[in-house]
Amino acid sequence: MEQKPASLMKSSLTSGIYIGVVSILVSVVLYVANLMFETWAAYISYAVLIAGAVYAQLSYRKSLGGEMTYGQALGVGTLALIFASVLSAIYAYLLYAVIDPSLIEQIRITTEQKMVEQGNIPEEQLDQVVDMMMKFQRPPIMAAMAVLVGAIGGLIISLITGIFTKKNPTDVVPE
């Protein structure tokens, strides 16, 4: 009896849930440790996404019997990271809207401090620029942007990781 190939969607969803849960746990740890606005903290999130894409691709390749094309690797990695970004967006919405709405003000303060340190914007325009940026710092917009950025980031990450995780089917037919 021939084994049915694994579903791309099911494999992506399963991996995406794992990646999303790990991303949320990392965010919770950073939130509790009051490290959310540290620049280096973003690198941890990137590492989780890259490792997650590789995990999704290798897991799917294994379910296919050890062979996977570049297109399949790209598809499973991108979809998994999209599913993970949806979970992360739900968490972000809850964090900024329900759990701790004061984080929006902390974002504004941090943004203003970084702009002053860089000195690229004249002092008289600083308030206008920060006000404009804060219009996009509302929980629903932040959640929607998280999904969009997750989709684009997932595509870019999967384009790169797919190169290393693909294993083309052999063209040799045994006689």
Side-chain angles (χ1 to χ4, degrees):
M1 183 164 31
E2 204 170 299
Q3 187 179 6
K4 188 176 175 183
S7 163
L8 177 78
M9 193 61 76
K10 182 180 178 190
S11 183
S12 299
L13 180 61
T14 304
S15 296
I17 289 171
Y18 292 148
I19 299 164
V21 167
V22 170
S23 294
I24 291 168
L25 290 175
V26 167
S27 290
V28 167
V29 168
L30 292 173
Y31 172 73
V32 169
N34 200 22
L35 298 171
M36 287 182 61
F37 301 115
E38 297 295 326
T39 306
W40 59 266
Y43 296 122
I44 296 172
S45 299
Y46 298 143
V48 168
L49 294 178
I50 292 167
V54 169
Y55 168 77
Q57 291 166 337
L58 292 177
S59 170
Y60 186 59
R61 184 177 81 185
K62 183 178 178 184
S63 73
L64 291 176
E67 295 178 338
M68 176 177 67
T69 65
Y70 180 73
Q72 290 170 321
L74 177 63
V76 73
T78 302
L79 282 174
L81 291 180
I82 288 171
F83 290 133
S85 69
V86 169
L87 278 179
S88 294
I90 293 168
Y91 164 73
Y93 177 81
L94 291 173
L95 178 66
Y96 291 110
V98 178
I99 298 169
D100 192 354
S102 70
L103 284 176
I104 300 290
E105 180 62 18
Q106 289 179 19
I107 291 172
R108 187 194 65 74
I109 292 168
T110 304
T111 302
E112 195 171 324
Q113 286 174 346
K114 286 182 180 180
M115 289 179 154
V116 167
E117 288 171 9
Q118 291 175 351
N120 296 339
I121 298 173
E123 195 71 36
E124 57 274 359
Q125 292 180 349
L126 185 63
D127 288 336
Q128 292 174 342
V129 171
V130 171
D131 287 342
M132 180 62 76
M133 289 178 64
M134 292 312 294
K135 289 181 182 180
F136 296 101
Q137 298 298 326
R138 293 186 307 226
I141 294 174
M142 292 170 75
M145 291 301 293
V147 174
L148 179 64
V149 168
I152 294 169
L155 176 64
I156 293 168
I157 290 169
S158 295
L159 280 167
I160 297 167
T161 59
I163 294 168
F164 302 104
T165 59
K166 73 175 173 76
K167 188 171 183 185
N168 288 325
T170 56
D171 292 332
V172 179
V173 179
E175 292 182 31

